[in-house]
Amino acid sequence: MAGPVMAGPVMADPAMPGSGQLANDAWEALLAAHAVLMKRFAASGLWEDISMREYDVLYTLSKCPGPVRVSELDHHVLLSQPALSRLVDRLAERGLIARRPDPADGRGVLLSLTGAGRGLQRQIGRRHARDVAGAMTAALNRAELRELEALCRKLACRPAAVAATNDENEDASR
C-alpha cells in the first residue's frame, strides 16, 4: 500500500523525498512570521480597554451568521475551553456579548454580540485592518499576497484533502 512514510516526527509525502526537513523549515518560518506580526499588532496601541484575545472573540462572533454555542466558538479561536469560557464571562459582564438559552438544547447557551460589542469590534477592527494591511504590504507585493493567501487557505483546508489523497493513492496501488 502506498501512503505517507515517517521521516522523523513528520509525515512525509513519498513523492517528495527529503520533504520532512523542508516542511519543518516552512512551519518554523510561518510561526516566526506570525510571532513577529502579532507582537507588532499587540504593541500598536489600538486595543483600548480590550485585549487582542477578547477582540478575536468579538471578531469571530461578528463573522457568524447567528448566535453560536461556546463549543462552536472554540473551533475558531486559539484558547483552551476553560480560558474561552472565562473570557466569554468577562465580555458578557462588560455588556459586549449576549447570552441566551439554546432552544434546541436547554442546557446550552447561545452567544452573540450586543450592539456595544458590535460597535467596539467595528471601531477596533477598522484600525486593526489598516495596521495589518500596512504590515503586509510593507513586506509583500500583490502577487506575493495572493500567493500567501492561497497557500494559507490550502493549509487551512488540507487535513481533509490529505486524507482523500492518501485514500486515492491506496486505491491506485491495489
Side-chain angles (χ1 to χ4, degrees):
M1 271 194 247
V5 296
M6 290 300 292
V10 177
M11 295 294 285
D13 183 341
M16 290 177 37
S19 62
Q21 184 61 49
L22 178 59
N24 278 289
D25 291 347
W27 174 248
E28 288 177 15
L30 180 62
L31 288 179
H34 179 264
V36 166
L37 290 169
M38 293 305 287
K39 286 178 185 175
R40 174 182 171 164
F41 301 145
S44 70
L46 63 87
W47 303 104
E48 296 176 10
D49 293 329
I50 193 166
S51 72
M52 286 179 65
R53 288 188 172 169
E54 290 169 328
Y55 174 78
D56 187 28
V57 169
L58 296 181
Y59 175 78
T60 301
L61 285 172
S62 78
K63 296 298 180 187
C64 294
V68 297
R69 295 180 69 143
V70 172
S71 58
E72 234 178 292
L73 188 59
D74 186 44
H75 297 317
H76 303 284
V77 295
L78 295 174
L79 290 171
S80 68
Q81 177 72 38
L84 178 59
S85 293
R86 288 190 301 272
L87 191 145
V88 164
D89 289 344
R90 289 193 305 270
L91 292 171
E93 288 170 10
R94 292 171 58 191
L96 301 173
I97 291 179
R99 299 176 198 217
R100 66 178 173 86
D102 184 348
D105 178 359
R107 299 169 298 154
V109 174
L110 294 174
L111 306 172
S112 60
L113 291 177
T114 62
R118 187 168 306 285
L120 182 61
Q121 184 280 316
R122 286 180 179 158
Q123 176 186 348
I124 293 174
R126 282 190 292 273
R127 290 182 294 186
H128 181 50
R130 284 192 297 269
D131 203 22
V132 168
M136 299 296 283
T137 58
L140 303 172
N141 63 38
R142 292 179 79 78
E144 291 168 329
L145 287 167
R146 283 189 199 98
E147 183 177 7
L148 178 61
E149 179 188 14
L151 291 170
C152 289
R153 289 187 187 282
K154 186 175 184 178
L155 285 171
C157 296
R158 191 72 176 145
V162 169
T165 300
N166 289 343
D167 290 345
E168 289 171 13
N169 288 342
E170 287 177 18
D171 291 342
S173 67
R174 289 184 187 156

